[in-house]
Amino acid sequence: MARLDALDADKWWLSTWQPETAQLNRALGVDWPTVQWYDPTTREGIWTGKRRTILDALAQNRPIVWLDDEETTYNVGLAIQATPHEAPVLGVGPDSAIGVGRPQMDLVEDFIRNPPAGSVVRFETAGDGHEGHWGF
């Protein structure tokens, strides 16, 4: 968590654990704000909110790194690619049993230090830098 927290980037919780992110912040020693993307009482928006939030964020034309163990799918990548944007996007799909692996973290750090030019969309879901990579 220290490597993520040390990155020169805005960090936000966009998590299904939305109601518990304050506890996660305390447990992990971070202080990241939470995006309110679904109603935790009615659960309205829970099936579409994450993707909608990322697609809306593309309008800011700032590089985006999105770490998500569920929404880093090929179809999400197609939706991102089809949405007008000028900044690059990196989606990282960690193994939900272990979290972000070292190769994935290296990729995130490199992307933030030296983002590719243009509207490049790259998703890394295997963590080995090759096998799970896809892009456009």
Side-chain angles (χ1 to χ4, degrees):
M1 192 54 65
R3 282 177 74 181
L4 279 175
D5 200 40
L7 293 172
D8 183 18
D10 297 332
K11 290 156 288 276
W12 297 77
W13 289 110
L14 178 63
S15 174
T16 309
W17 293 61
Q18 176 180 294
E20 287 82 27
T21 56
Q23 291 174 317
L24 289 171
N25 276 338
R26 282 191 300 278
L28 299 171
V30 299
D31 187 23
W32 301 345
T34 301
V35 176
Q36 303 297 316
W37 60 275
Y38 77 95
D39 184 317
T41 303
T42 66
R43 299 182 60 83
E44 182 179 339
I46 198 153
W47 300 115
T48 59
K50 279 187 185 181
R51 186 180 306 189
R52 184 183 63 249
T53 301
I54 294 298
L55 294 177
D56 289 349
L58 292 172
Q60 297 175 19
N61 287 321
R62 295 178 55 197
I64 294 174
V65 176
W66 184 17
L67 292 94
D68 196 305
D69 63 343
E70 295 176 340
E71 286 281 334
T72 47
T73 65
Y74 188 74
N75 286 337
V76 172
L78 291 175
I80 290 171
Q81 185 64 25
T83 302
H85 66 284
E86 296 179 22
V89 177
L90 173 64
V92 175
D95 180 329
S96 60
I98 62 169
V100 179
R102 285 187 185 117
Q104 290 176 321
M105 192 62 218
D106 293 343
L107 182 65
V108 168
E109 289 170 332
D110 184 55
F111 184 92
I112 289 173
R113 277 192 303 267
N114 188 26
S119 60
V120 172
V121 176
R122 180 176 180 195
F123 275 35
E124 178 65 54
T125 58
D128 64 4
H130 301 288
E131 189 175 301
H133 164 74
W134 60 267
F136 297 91

